[in-house]
Amino acid sequence: MPTPALRCTAFAGTHRIASGELRHVALKAKQVFDSEPGQPILVFEDASGSVVELPLELPAAELLRILNAASAKAEQVAPTPARGPGRPRLGVVAREITLLPRHWDWLNAQPGGASVALRRLVEDARKLTADDDRCRVAQEAAYRFMQALGGNLPGYEDATRALFAGNYAHFEEALARWPDDVREHASMLAADAFAD
């Protein structure tokens, strides 16, 4: 169960009913679930576009108790692991990697040794691919949401193709006939997929 502070958006059918922290969104989703039996309620995590499973059939007090228990569990301090290799105070974690001998030779010849060279290579790669990573995360979040809520809407396939092609104009054109709330949320999730 996700934590109550998780940012989410809930839909009743194709209508957005709430957006904000999960604890508030869950209560609004519960109200609609109780007042409109049979209405499909979906709650989406804003960062990933993933569906958040909530036991809306439970009483509201029980739903909140479960969310608060998840929050308390997440806030529990993990026991201090036994000290091992590396520099745990700096957040360095020892792991094993497999490389070819020529790679090890090159790494060991670098100033500071293999560990320093690997950390530098990873940081450089992260800087170079930050925009691509942000674009990919936005594409995946928008796709998950669109698949769950827009899969049967007109232009879904065209919107999906435009999303992954990075074609904003075609994406918006494909979403034009979608219900306002669904279109706006899909566009919001996809925003970084089209940022240059």
Side-chain angles (χ1 to χ4, degrees), residues 44-51 140-146 148 185 189:
F44 296 92
E45 180 183 345
D46 288 344
S48 70
S50 298
V51 174
E140 290 172 359
Y143 175 72
R144 281 188 204 100
F145 170 75
M146 289 166 49
H185 196 69
L189 291 174

Side-chain angles (χ1 to χ4, degrees), residues 16-183:
R16 183 176 29 231
I17 56 174
S19 192
E21 290 187 357
L22 179 58
R23 66 174 59 100
H24 305 296
V25 171
L27 287 176
K28 183 63 178 173
K30 173 65 176 157
Q31 286 175 344
V32 174
F33 179 82
D34 289 343
S35 66
E36 300 178 33
Q39 174 76 287
I41 308 289
L42 288 174
V43 178
F44 296 92
E45 180 183 345
D46 288 344
S48 70
S50 298
V51 174
V52 177
E53 298 292 335
L54 293 175
L56 296 176
E57 66 281 352
L58 296 176
E62 181 67 12
L63 180 60
L64 282 177
R65 189 194 65 72
I66 290 170
L67 287 173
N68 289 331
S71 178
K73 185 175 181 181
E75 291 173 2
Q76 286 178 345
V77 176
T80 305
R83 291 192 68 132
R87 296 179 166 181
R89 286 190 197 144
L90 299 176
V92 177
V93 178
R95 299 259 171 93
E96 181 179 332
I97 62 168
T98 306
L99 298 172
L100 294 172
R102 67 178 180 266
H103 298 148
W104 283 114
D105 293 342
W106 183 86
L107 284 170
N108 288 327
Q110 300 306 304
S115 291
V116 171
L118 281 172
R119 284 193 295 272
R120 190 174 55 245
L121 286 170
V122 169
E123 288 303 319
D124 289 346
R126 286 182 62 201
K127 290 175 189 171
L128 284 174
T129 64
D131 290 339
D132 291 340
D133 292 343
R134 192 171 24 262
C135 176
R136 180 185 43 78
V137 167
Q139 285 174 331
E140 290 172 359
Y143 175 72
R144 281 188 204 100
F145 170 75
M146 289 166 49
Q147 186 179 35
L149 209 54
N152 292 326
L153 295 174
Y156 167 75
E157 291 86 4
D158 292 336
T160 302
R161 281 191 287 275
L163 172 67
F164 287 103
N167 189 328
Y168 178 74
H170 282 110
F171 181 75
E172 288 297 318
E173 182 180 316
L175 297 183
R177 296 185 311 177
W178 286 23
D180 291 343
D181 290 342
V182 178
R183 182 181 64 248

